[in-house]
Amino acid sequence: MRPPGDKSISHRALMLGALAVGETRVSGLLEGEDVLRTANAMRLLGATVKRDESGLWRINGVGVGGFGEPADIIDVGNSGTSARLLSGLLATSGFVSFMTGDASLRRRPMRRVIEPLNQFGAQFLTRDGMRLPMAVIGTNSPVPIRYVTPVPSAQVKSAVLLAGLNTMGETTLVEREATRDHSEIMLAHFGATLRHEQSDEGLAITIVGQPDLVARDIEVPGDPSSAAFAVVAACIASEGEVLVKHVGVNPSRTGLYTTLREMGAAISWRNERLVGGEKVADLVVTSGAKLKGVEVPAARAPSMIDEYPILAVAAAHAQGTTIMRGLAELKVKESDRLAAIAAGLSANGVKVEVGADSLTVHGTGGRIEGGGTVQTHLDHRIAMSFLVMGMGARQPVTVDDIEMVDTSFPGFVALMNGLGARIAPAAS
Ligand code: S3P
């Protein structure tokens, strides 16, 4: 299989392409709802974004500082990445804009980006609890900041660095725990100057403001977070082999693969190469290995933050107990994923315990019972994870909704069925 394009990288390609001078051509862009929302936001801000018949995306950018006032509300749907990263771009653009999202996103916290972006001089008018919809009053004369982020979040880091793009001087973001570094890699690819320094407070990343970004060609690697569903399906299957081609293996994203190997899974990668500064490889997963429970350290959480739902499915099939720590951030994803995972596993006969920021899964060491219905709470990864769980269950597993799967993985059902799953509408 070839997984769809990386969601994080796709958002960033559209945003930086929209700020570069000249035509940026992007191949392998994820054409999922979330990314299409970012494409539309870039159009509203003045960039030309088009897809040609061959599937290549062509973006004609406006240059750093060249965005214009959007004529309508920017609706980013289910996409937290669009909302947070765009907030950074809008904060240092000297006009007022309005942003909203779907019911899931309107519940999610924006304070984490508003606090640092206020320091640049931007103002935000929000609903109670700093939630969307909100108005962004961008500043014409931003001041550069140095910000030590209290949350391990690539979205917060990226919002600050992107706000720093249109700010004269040097903006520094310090992170205590390393999060995905796609923004830094791509900013450098487009010609921005960045510096990395280890300080007592953590890794300090500095961007030099108001660079001339130059249009680039970008090849988006497959999304390791989407590949994860086929990989875990192969891990819990009794026989067979799955080859996942052209998937991103940036070390800030591969925590799930490390964990599955520790559990005993037979996963290897080959043809490792560098594409636009990003590591890419082909993965081979051989079924039939006995999985065992492991302890997943909190320090690994940022490198597999979106993979806990599907890891929980692997853990449910393993022999013994799996303990996952450092999961506080899971509560503010597309749903409260900690609660959603626990409820979905319990509904299908798997014993779990939820702590303040941990999850313990008691593996069955073989097939799980299944037969339950899982509430997805508008969360694509909950839906996909539990559909995969059905592949290893005695009774079918039902999810209440799959519409939002298209936000990150269009074609998921057809692709998994092609690998041998039997996913079909439930008889009503
Ligand atoms: C993302 C960062 C992560 C991740 C999300 C995509 C990004 O969110 O969960 O799916 O593209 O920067 P946080 O920054 O909230 O951890």
Side-chain angles (χ1 to χ4, degrees):
M1 67 160 300
R2 190 170 167 139
D6 189 279
K7 183 153 73 74
S8 294
I9 295 175
S10 295
H11 285 298
R12 288 155 172 84
L14 290 168
M15 289 180 186
L16 295 188
L19 283 172
V21 175
E23 184 177 83
T24 288
R25 295 180 305 177
V26 186
S27 61
L29 188 90
L30 169 65
E31 294 177 351
E33 246 319 286
D34 278 16
V35 174
L36 299 180
R37 297 285 181 158
T38 289
N40 206 41
M42 293 304 109
R43 290 186 189 111
L44 275 169
L45 291 167
T48 309
V49 182
K50 285 189 180 140
R51 178 191 195 275
D52 70 20
E53 321 74 64
S54 70
L56 196 67
W57 285 73
R58 294 173 185 272
I59 308 153
N60 276 282
V62 294
V64 171
F67 282 152
E69 182 196 82
D72 202 351
I73 298 169
I74 303 176
D75 183 348
V76 291
N78 194 253
S79 178
T81 306
S82 311
R84 272 68 173 265
L85 271 58
L86 256 177
S87 297
L89 293 174
L90 296 172
T92 55
S93 297
F95 48 74
V96 179
S97 50
F98 301 87
M99 196 193 297
T100 192
D102 74 359
S104 154
L105 188 58
R106 280 183 272 119
R107 283 193 292 267
R108 297 180 66 188
M110 294 299 287
R111 180 189 300 272
R112 52 183 56 203
V113 289
I114 291 175
E115 277 179 358
L117 296 175
N118 278 154
Q119 295 179 24
F120 283 92
Q123 286 177 284
F124 294 80
L125 295 173
T126 68
R127 273 196 318 134
D128 192 29
M130 293 204 187
R131 318 266 158 172
L132 294 175
M134 70 180 185
V136 186
I137 306 169
T139 172
N140 257 324
S141 44
V143 285
I145 67 167
R146 181 176 196 280
Y147 187 69
V148 182
T149 177
V151 272
S153 161
Q155 293 177 355
V156 173
K157 170 173 64 177
S158 303
V160 170
L161 294 176
L162 291 176
L165 260 185
N166 195 30
T167 302
M168 207 193 292
E170 296 191 348
T171 293
T172 300
L173 182 287
V174 185
E175 59 178 3
R176 296 194 186 95
E177 296 166 74
T179 61
R180 64 188 69 189
D181 58 358
H182 305 302
S183 296
E184 298 90 303
I185 290 174
M186 201 180 288
L187 279 162
H189 186 61
F190 274 91
T193 302
L194 287 104
R195 262 194 340 265
H196 292 79
E197 282 145 325
Q198 201 60 52
S199 73
D200 291 347
E201 292 165 306
L203 179 66
I205 305 149
T206 298
I207 183 162
V208 179
Q210 301 191 322
D212 291 324
L213 297 185
V214 185
R216 292 276 183 236
D217 284 352
I218 294 179
E219 194 185 328
V220 180
D223 197 324
S225 301
S226 298
F229 301 108
V231 168
V232 170
C235 288
I236 63 177
S238 51
E239 57 183 295
E241 187 174 89
V242 173
L243 167 64
V244 188
K245 297 191 89 169
H246 201 73
V247 59
V249 289
N250 177 322
S252 66
R253 296 287 298 281
T254 50
L256 172 76
Y257 299 97
T258 307
T259 305
L260 288 173
R261 278 185 178 141
E262 285 176 5
M263 294 173 82
I267 304 174
S268 59
W269 56 62
R270 56 193 191 205
N271 299 334
E272 203 171 300
R273 53 208 181 267
L274 219 52
V275 178
E278 291 282 354
K279 270 192 187 166
V280 175
D282 303 326
L283 307 190
V284 182
V285 192
T286 310
S287 301
K290 279 261 166 260
L291 299 182
K292 61 175 194 320
V294 293
E295 203 168 321
V296 192
R300 199 177 290 160
S303 69
M304 53 179 297
I305 194 64
D306 291 334
E307 280 68 80
Y308 286 99
I310 192 65
L311 174 65
V313 170
H317 290 85
Q319 181 83 54
T321 300
T322 295
I323 305 173
M324 310 169 201
R325 302 188 196 280
L327 305 189
E329 278 294 299
L330 285 199
K331 298 179 193 165
V332 291
K333 293 295 175 190
E334 285 82 331
S335 67
D336 175 347
R337 282 191 181 153
L338 196 49
I341 296 168
L345 290 176
S346 300
N348 287 287
V350 181
K351 271 178 59 192
V352 289
E353 284 138 38
V354 182
D357 71 345
S358 68
L359 181 70
T360 304
V361 178
H362 298 280
T364 55
R367 300 202 79 145
I368 60 148
E369 194 45 45
T373 297
V374 177
Q375 309 294 321
T376 52
H377 304 284
L378 295 173
D379 190 325
H380 53 130
R381 296 198 203 281
I382 295 296
M384 291 186 278
S385 298
F386 282 99
L387 288 171
V388 170
M389 194 167 85
M391 294 174 73
R394 287 183 222 281
Q395 312 283 335
V397 172
T398 305
V399 300
D400 65 353
D401 186 8
I402 60 161
E403 217 163 283
M404 64 329 218
V405 162
D406 282 353
T407 58
S408 71
F409 202 151
F412 169 80
V413 170
L415 196 147
M416 293 305 292
N417 283 349
L419 294 178
R422 282 176 295 146
I423 303 172
S428 49

